[in-house]
Amino acid sequence: MEAEAEAEAEGASAPPGATAVAFLPDGSGVPLALGPPPGPTAGELLLRLQGALRLPPIATEALALWLGSPLLEVQLKPRHRPLPLVRRWPELLLRLSLGSPADIARDEPCLQLRRNVFFPKSKELEVEEEELLRLLYEEARGNVLGGRYPTAPPEAEELGGLSCRLRLGPFEPGRHTPHGLRPLLGELLPPRRARGGLWGALRRGPRAPPPEEGLLRAFARAPGPRAPPAALYRAFLRRCHRLPAYGCAFFPGAIDRPPGGLLGRGGLRPVSVAVGLEGFTIIDPREKHVLLTLTFPELCWELVGAVGQEGAAVGQDGGDAVGQDGGDAVGPPQLWLEFDGDHEGAPVNRLLRVFSPQGRSCGG
């Protein structure tokens, strides 16, 4: 999410002629000269990357610069300057991350070129330039493999089949076999996970077929030799558009775990919160599956414990979640999601509380 602190800090310590590396979704890097403090803005650096990578003008809408680390991910606004923001990184971690003091002391962000959260999916499908589509594809593929975009096995196989087609060329019966795909499974399919906890471990049933068999069938259904790479990238992205977390920003949080059941465990359950143009998705980061997805028309939301400029709690009509005077939140921020549900066939109103220091960033 975008940081709610202003990135225009003065006096950032960086030597004249400093250089940073902007990492691309495929893992490669592009060096960028930053010059003396306060350095260029994110918008200026994005224009440089557009030129260096020979991307079309729409790339400055489709992509954005991010500062990311294991503890925090920040999409930079065009006016933000990375150098001052890096200098303030420990301060941002103390306010917005769940890291321990030791983790914060070791944490260091890197500059990343990633998809812009505010770029509509409909406009993405209008992109025709192959290199820009490739960058969007590489980021989406990494999020599928890493479990950020939870997928059911059939959907994962279809996406893996398109990746096979891009990597291995057109499908050829006899040449492409399950045995030949087996070493590539980690690069083509997300890992299979046991589902159902204790009961899932105890329940017996028919063994699922090897994943390489389903992957081979999906590979055989992929477009043939006449399909150019751009069409394959677009087909992959179009399938990803069906996934509720596609194109979202992510932050960690926790929700109430209802007491009761066989083990009677209550307390907080760790979750990953995905926020995008269409709504919220709550994901189990361990099991890699969607717990809840809600579009904005389906819900009302409010921030509790985040203080605005006048000291009032920030809701969906509020401004910045942290005032420009730097005031801290009163109590741990909570993102309240209110929506309609049902209980035993009867309509009910439900309220979900998401506890997270980064919940305040939803107010900006």
Side-chain angles (χ1 to χ4, degrees), residues 78-155:
R79 71 173 187 271
H80 283 161
R81 298 181 188 270
L83 273 178
L85 189 54
V86 168
R87 182 174 181 263
R88 296 185 60 180
W89 195 250
E91 173 191 336
L92 291 175
L93 293 179
L94 286 170
R95 276 182 32 211
L96 299 174
S97 83
L98 301 174
S100 67
D103 290 335
I104 290 175
R106 292 190 296 264
D107 195 70
E108 184 177 349
C110 62
L111 194 63
Q112 303 166 351
L113 182 67
R114 291 168 47 181
R115 189 186 190 280
N116 182 357
V117 171
F118 302 102
F119 190 60
K121 291 187 289 188
S122 59
K123 200 166 184 179
E124 181 177 277
L125 293 179
E126 298 175 5
V127 175
E128 298 181 356
E129 205 276 332
E130 181 178 317
E131 181 60 14
L132 177 54
L133 286 169
R134 186 188 71 84
L135 293 175
L136 294 168
Y137 158 79
E138 291 288 356
E139 180 175 349
R141 186 177 74 92
N143 284 336
V144 169
L145 295 179
R148 276 202 159 178
Y149 298 162
T151 54
E155 188 64 55

Side-chain angles (χ1 to χ4, degrees), residues 21-51:
V21 175
F23 289 95
L24 308 185
D26 61 6
S28 62
V30 177
L32 293 171
L34 300 182
T41 65
E44 292 167 343
L45 292 176
L46 188 58
L47 284 173
R48 291 190 205 171
L49 284 169
Q50 176 200 339

Side-chain angles (χ1 to χ4, degrees), residues 137 157-172 175-176 181 184 188 215-216 218-233 235-236:
Y137 158 79
E157 289 172 357
E158 293 301 320
L159 292 170
L162 289 169
S163 292
C164 270
R165 171 66 178 82
L166 283 159
R167 176 162 181 162
L168 303 177
F171 175 75
E172 297 181 22
R175 176 170 172 244
H176 296 121
L181 294 183
L184 303 177
L188 298 170
L215 180 62
L216 184 70
F219 183 16
R221 292 192 295 269
R226 293 186 178 181
L232 298 171
Y233 295 140
F236 189 98

Side-chain angles (χ1 to χ4, degrees), residues 72 181 186 283 288 304:
L72 181 64
L181 294 183
I283 299 170
K288 309 296 185 187
V304 177

Side-chain angles (χ1 to χ4, degrees), residues 307-337:
V307 176
Q309 294 182 16
E310 304 301 327
V314 176
Q316 54 197 61
D317 296 325
D320 288 344
V322 176
Q324 294 182 2
D325 59 356
D328 292 329
V330 178
Q334 301 173 29
L335 178 63
W336 288 30
L337 306 178

Side-chain angles (χ1 to χ4, degrees), residues 253-278:
I255 60 175
D256 290 312
R257 188 196 306 268
L262 177 65
L263 301 179
R265 294 184 299 182
L268 294 178
R269 176 180 187 173
V271 296
S272 177
V273 183
V275 187
L277 291 177
E278 298 174 0

Side-chain angles (χ1 to χ4, degrees), residues 54-94:
R54 298 181 179 178
L55 298 175
I58 197 174
T60 56
E61 299 179 46
L63 304 175
L65 280 175
W66 292 64
L67 280 176
S69 77
L71 297 182
L72 181 64
E73 298 177 3
V74 176
Q75 178 175 314
L76 303 184
K77 295 179 180 180
R79 71 173 187 271
H80 283 161
R81 298 181 188 270
L83 273 178
L85 189 54
V86 168
R87 182 174 181 263
R88 296 185 60 180
W89 195 250
E91 173 191 336
L92 291 175
L93 293 179
L94 286 170

